C-alpha cells in the first residue's frame, strides 16, 4: 500500500467527504422525524424552509460524492501527479463544506449565489482530476 502514501491528502479528503454525508444523513433523519414525516418523505420544497435546505444539502452531497470519489480514485489509480491530485481533492472537499455552510443556514440566493460559486469550483476541481487521469494514462 506504500504506492498510495503520496495521495494521503486525497484519500483523507474522500473519507471526510463520506463522513460529512453520513453526518448530514443523521441530521436530516432527525429533522424529518421531528417533523413527523413518513420515511423517505421530503420536507416542503421551499428555500425558506430550513428542513428542506438541510435535506437538499444532504442529497446534493450524496449526489456529488459519487462523481468526486470516482475522479479522485481514477486519478490515484492512474498514477497522476500526487501533488495535483491532493490539491484538487482537497479543494473538492473544502468546496463541499462551503456549500453546506451556506446552504443549510440559507445564506444567499437559491440560485446564482455563493453556493453556486462553491459548486462551480468543486466541479472545476473534478474536471481537473479527470484531465490529470487522462494525462497519466495517455
Amino acid at each position: 500500500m506504500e504506492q498510495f502514501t503520496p495521495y494521503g491528502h486525497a484519500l483523507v479528503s474522500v473519507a471526510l467527504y463520506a463522513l460529512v454525508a453520513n453526518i448530514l444523513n443523521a441530521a436530516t433523519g432527525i429533522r424529518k422525524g421531528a417533523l413527523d414525516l413518513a420515511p423517505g418523505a421530503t420536507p416542503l420544497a421551499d428555500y425558506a424552509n430550513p428542513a428542506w435546505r438541510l435535506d437538499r444539502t444532504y442529497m446534493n452531497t450524496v449526489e456529488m460524492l459519487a462523481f468526486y470519489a470516482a475522479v479522485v480514485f481514477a486519478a490515484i489509480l492512474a498514477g497522476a501527479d500526487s501533488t495535483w491530485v491532493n490539491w484538487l481533492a482537497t479543494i473538492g472537499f473544502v468546496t463541499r463544506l462551503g456549500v453546506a455552510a451556506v446552504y443549510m443556514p440559507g445564506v444567499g440566493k437559491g440560485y446564482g449565489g455563493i453556493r453556486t460559486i462553491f459548486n462551480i469550483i468543486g466541479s472545476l476541481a473534478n474536471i481537473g482530476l479527470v484531465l490529470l487521469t487522462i494525462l497519466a494514462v495517455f
Side-chain angles (χ1 to χ4, degrees):
M1 292 295 146
E2 291 178 21
Q3 70 269 28
F4 297 118
T5 302
Y7 300 101
H9 285 107
L11 293 170
V12 168
S13 293
V14 172
L16 289 174
Y17 201 128
L19 177 64
V20 167
N22 277 278
I23 292 168
L24 289 170
N25 178 34
T28 194
I30 291 167
R31 177 71 62 90
K32 288 178 179 184
L35 295 173
D36 202 29
L37 293 174
T42 303
L44 176 65
D46 180 358
Y47 190 70
N49 181 353
W52 180 80
R53 288 194 314 272
L54 173 61
D55 188 55
R56 281 307 309 147
T57 301
Y58 164 63
M59 293 304 296
N60 189 247
T61 298
V62 170
E63 293 160 2
M64 294 308 296
L65 178 57
F67 299 116
Y68 172 77
V71 296
V72 170
F73 289 132
I76 290 170
L77 293 173
D81 181 272
S82 61
T83 301
W84 278 104
V85 172
N86 286 326
W87 271 108
L88 291 172
T90 301
I91 289 168
F93 171 64
V94 169
T95 59
R96 176 52 43 197
L97 291 179
V99 168
V102 299
Y103 204 6
M104 286 189 299
V107 174
K109 300 183 291 184
Y111 291 103
I114 190 164
R115 181 177 62 88
T116 300
I117 292 168
F118 279 126
N119 279 319
I120 290 169
I121 294 168
S123 291
L124 290 173
N126 285 349
I127 291 167
L129 288 161
V130 169
L131 293 175
L132 287 174
T133 302
I134 292 168
L135 290 173
V137 171
F138 298 107

